Amino acid sequence: MVSVLKILGERIAFALAVIFSVLILNFILIRLAPGDPASVIAGESGGITQEIIDAIRKEYGLDLPMHEQLGIYLGNAIKGDLGYSYYFNTPVVELVISYMWPTILLIVVATVMALILGTVFGVIASRKPDGWLSNFLTVFSLIGYSAPPFWTGMLLIICFAFILPWFPVSGYSDVTLDVGPLGHALDILHHLILPSITLALIYLAQYSRLARASMLEVMGSDYIRTARAKGLSESVVFFKHGLRNAVLPIITITGLHFGNILSGAVLVEAVFNWPGLGTLAFDSLLRRDYSTILGLLFFSAVMTIVANLMTDLCYRIADPRIKIKKR
Amino acid sequence: MIDSRQHESTLLEVNNLNVDFNTREGIARVLNGVSFSLQPGEVLGIVGESGCGKSMTALSIMGLVPNPPGKVVGGKIIYDGENLLECTPERMRKIRGNHISMIFQEPMTALNPVIRIGDQITESLLLHQKLSHDDAIDKATELLREVHVPLPEKRIHEFPHQLSGGMRQRVMIAIALACEPSILIADEPTTALDVTVQAQVFDLLLELRQERKMAIILITHDMGAIAEMAGRVLVMYAGRVIETATVDDILQKPEHPYTQGLISCVPILHMGSDTERKSLNEIPGIVPSLTSLGHGCAFEPRCQSRLPRCAIDMPITFDTDTDHKTACWLFEQR
């Protein structure tokens, strides 16, 4: 247990260093990009004159040299203040937190869906590697992987919101309903189904292929023959001896995919008008809302690091061969 | 060994066993009319080159021939009055690991890497012997002690990667012995191990056989192991049994030209100077492809003493002596 805590501490220290570097890198990158927030703000509020722009620059500290701006930014970041959004007129941290939950909900539901269904499909397909399900999965994964999520999203809306009006077209919840907390949760779930399927489709296909390949490999290994030689039933051989080993690569890939799924969520949120970080990122990019963009980038870096940390811990639990002491 | 063997009840009888494999080049008959019998408590050696059907014979007895591509297409395997080839899969699972168990060549990969040693041993005890979990753990510890694994109480909580190859093979033996089988099939149990460890494993097998009166089928290409362990020996070539005899007969008066070649290929250690060193013997030629066997003897193309009919007719098995059978036309006149 002590060694687990030690490794955890080590990992967290490492993660903090990464987050700090991400802060600096993002700050520099966004300022290298073309566009001037002062003129956008001036444009939003009416007339653009040089005096107004200069006043805005001064007010937001944009007239200072870059290294001074960075110093102020980092100093505030350590205190938990990621700046103030010019456009939303709210502190960035508050803004990000208010948009964070719908995204986390979407990502977690989509990942769990893709992971469970993908593994189940792949495992079933591996039982008959030349069967119709296996061939169907090959085609399905090709389509799932190549189709952009905004396209599949729109297609799902057309099929299951217009032609078959089973699900709402877009949004997070129906504000006109007055149904109490449970009804509200069910309403959110109802809205969640199409976007999470859209996001899950990309990964479902990949996980099912991976599960199939991994299961086929494992079922051909010597220890499976040993298990059969003990006289164990085929289902014990398959699930206890086979699946346990076959899920290891899937765990790894899920962790690696987390960064991708976050960027996939941006597109899906835009299509379904889901009030999450993706929508926020989209709006703030158009507005050159530097502090919000930085806050979002920072936040997604933190999420990715946390996800990888969790994957790492899961992997250690699932595979005893990975020694706690070594990295 | 003992000659009263015939009077004892036969434990296992394999009769005219045929196994086909579907390959890209066509159907390969990997086992062709394999017949032999096994008496209680006997150590039967099966020798031959790689691919001659040794392991496939073992897998057929266990009902573990990979299907597809393999298929048992004919013959009988009688164990305790029951034809194993006609058993239901459920019945076969009750026999496998319980009455007949097997240890494999590769101890490094034959154990499941993510399951603790203890659980891997208790699995068959819980299944076949219906022991309680605590009793099964006690039995597993006892088994590990019996196969000379040090600190068994500690080992049962460890994973396979924490053990050396020799220790893993001992664990495999413990797994195979868990339900006190009457037949243990050891498929090249020491090939992957150091020479010193090999000797330990053989000693262990002999010791356990003595204690438990179980029969062992030892599959190997190591003539040294055969000389040390076996009572009777089957020599296989290209899916057929070509010679059967006691171990002394096989080593001292081998009859089939292939067996003679095999024995002469065993290197003898010379203690003298370098000039005395001779080059190693070999049997010229290679094992024929099993998909393109002709009608004649499969060894005919490599045989030094072949007769004209060897290429045309498959030799039948001749009784050349008490307990000595050879499938070769050279022995027809006797």
Side-chain angles (χ1 to χ4, degrees), chain A residues 184-205:
Chain A
H184 184 64
L186 287 174
D187 182 44
I188 291 175
L189 204 65
H190 192 211
H191 281 77
L192 180 66
I193 291 175
L194 286 187
S196 55
I197 289 178
T198 310
L199 192 55
L201 270 179
I202 321 171
Y203 298 98
L204 196 153

Side-chain angles (χ1 to χ4, degrees), chain B residues 107-120:
Chain B
M108 305 310 275
T109 53
L111 292 168
N112 192 325
V114 299
I115 298 181
R116 288 176 204 277
I117 302 289
D119 289 340
Q120 301 200 42

Side-chain angles (χ1 to χ4, degrees), chain B residues 28-49:
Chain B
R29 174 140 293 190
V30 294
L31 290 186
N32 194 343
V34 170
S35 300
F36 63 90
S37 62
L38 182 72
Q39 315 305 324
E42 177 189 32
V43 179
L44 175 73
I46 303 183
V47 288
E49 285 168 273

